[in-house]
């Protein structure tokens, strides 16, 4: 298996633009997680899905952020409009388990480094 | 919310040495996990360990939930162990909370 695939690996955009990050989980995994990592705030769980259904989105910072999982093999994280403080590395992870966000082993993608100027 | 502190913040060791990383948390938790982020940014799960002791090769972890801490032991360190080690805790009804990490550097 190719592991969790994220695209793009790097994204540079201007403030106010829409940004879409993409994630393909490992085939057969039924839980998917989006994380953000910054120097100031460290690692944060933004949202996670189980069987394509959002279970907990309490980590989504504000309404400018939205995430979807239209099917078991694809998820997007969208920021509209983007702001410089959104600059971060965004990780996607998947796990084969029941949606327990900490019991099940998670497999991480390589991350997308987002820079908003 | 729950506070998570990791110590030491930085640790530099010679290859072959043993190390102990600590994670303290401010309140009772239902779950705890350790992660490793290598120097290239890749994140890897190490242990799910809300209580007790687990071992995986040269790594082991112990969580004493009643005293609100967890320890990660690395024996016979190798350069590939370098990176940042995070613990994350979960308390029912609250957000998953990560510590600020311990940066480990193993010198050949």
């Amino acid at each position: 298996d190719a592991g969790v695939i994220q695209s793009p690996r790097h994204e540079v955009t201007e403030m106010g633009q829409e940004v879409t990050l993409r994630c393909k989980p490992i085939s057969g995994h039924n839980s998917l997680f989006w994380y953000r990592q910054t120097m100031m705030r460290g690692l944060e769980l933004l949202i996670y899905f189980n069987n394509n259904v959002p279970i907990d989105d309490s980590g989504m910072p504000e309404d400018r952020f939205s995430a979807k999982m239209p099917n078991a093999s694809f998820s997007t994280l969208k920021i509209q409009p983007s702001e410089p403080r959104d600059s971060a590395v965004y990780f996607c992870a998947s796990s084969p388990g029941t949606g327990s966000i900490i019991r099940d082993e998670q497999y991480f993608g390589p991350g997308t480094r987002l820079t908003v100027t | 919310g729950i506070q998570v502190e990791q110590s030491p913040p930085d640790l530099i060791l010679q290859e072959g040495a043993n190390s102990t990383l600590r994670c303290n948390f401010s309140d009772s938790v239902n779950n705890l996990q350790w992660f490793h982020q290598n120097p290239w940014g890749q994140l890897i799960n190490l242990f799910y360990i809300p209580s007790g002791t687990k071992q995986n090769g040269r790594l082991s972890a112990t969580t004493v939930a009643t005293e609100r801490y967890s320890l990660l032991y690395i024996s016979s360190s190798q350069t590939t162990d370098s990176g940042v080690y995070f613990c994350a805790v979960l308390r029912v009804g609250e957000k998953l909370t990560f510590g600020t990490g311990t940066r480990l550097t193993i010198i050949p």
Side-chain angles (χ1 to χ4, degrees):
Chain A
D1 200 319
V4 176
I5 299 172
Q6 291 187 246
S7 65
R9 293 293 308 274
H10 302 272
E11 176 80 31
V12 180
T13 191
E14 291 184 349
M15 182 174 61
Q17 296 298 307
E18 178 180 294
V19 175
T20 300
L21 311 182
R22 296 172 175 80
C23 176
K24 177 178 169 55
I26 293 173
S27 177
H29 284 192
N30 54 20
S31 295
L32 184 140
F33 308 81
W34 282 102
Y35 292 88
R36 178 172 71 174
Q37 186 175 33
T38 63
M39 289 294 293
M40 290 294 293
R41 300 177 65 89
L43 271 163
E44 304 171 278
L45 175 64
L46 301 178
I47 185 171
Y48 74 98
F49 296 83
N50 182 245
N51 292 325
N52 312 336
V53 176
I55 303 300
D56 185 353
D57 65 355
S58 61
M60 296 287 264
E62 44 194 285
D63 291 345
R64 298 184 296 107
F65 286 69
S66 62
K68 294 183 179 180
M69 192 165 186
N71 57 61
S73 59
F74 184 65
S75 177
T76 59
L77 178 67
K78 185 175 294 187
I79 308 172
Q80 167 63 19
S82 58
E83 297 182 3
R85 60 196 170 113
D86 301 331
S87 297
V89 180
Y90 291 82
F91 290 98
C92 174
S94 69
S95 78
T98 59
S100 168
I101 65 172
I102 203 164
R103 182 188 301 272
D104 301 323
E105 182 174 5
Q106 297 178 38
Y107 298 78
F108 286 83
T112 294
R113 182 173 295 277
L114 173 65
T115 303
V116 184
T117 61
Chain B
I2 194 166
Q3 304 298 311
V4 182
E5 293 184 359
Q6 291 188 243
S7 60
D10 290 279
L11 186 59
I12 301 174
L13 296 172
Q14 205 77 33
E15 196 169 26
N18 301 329
S19 58
T20 301
L21 283 57
R22 188 177 181 103
C23 173
N24 291 336
F25 38 97
S26 61
D27 210 336
S28 60
V29 299
N30 302 98
N31 293 301
L32 184 145
Q33 199 160 29
W34 283 95
F35 296 83
H36 175 222
Q37 187 169 34
N38 70 21
W40 297 271
Q42 181 66 42
L43 277 160
I44 298 172
N45 267 151
L46 296 177
F47 294 103
Y48 157 73
I49 184 165
S51 63
T53 297
K54 287 187 177 180
Q55 180 156 7
N56 183 3
R58 297 181 295 103
L59 273 63
S60 64
T62 295
T63 297
V64 184
T66 53
E67 297 187 21
R68 301 178 186 171
Y69 73 88
S70 182
L71 302 174
L72 179 69
Y73 305 97
I74 305 173
S75 64
S76 303
S77 299
Q78 300 176 358
T79 55
T80 52
D81 296 328
S82 294
V84 183
Y85 290 81
F86 295 99
C87 68
V89 302
L90 180 66
R91 180 177 168 82
V92 172
E94 297 190 16
K95 288 174 53 175
L96 180 67
T97 303
F98 284 83
T100 53
T102 291
R103 183 176 299 278
L104 177 65
T105 303
I106 304 299
I107 301 172

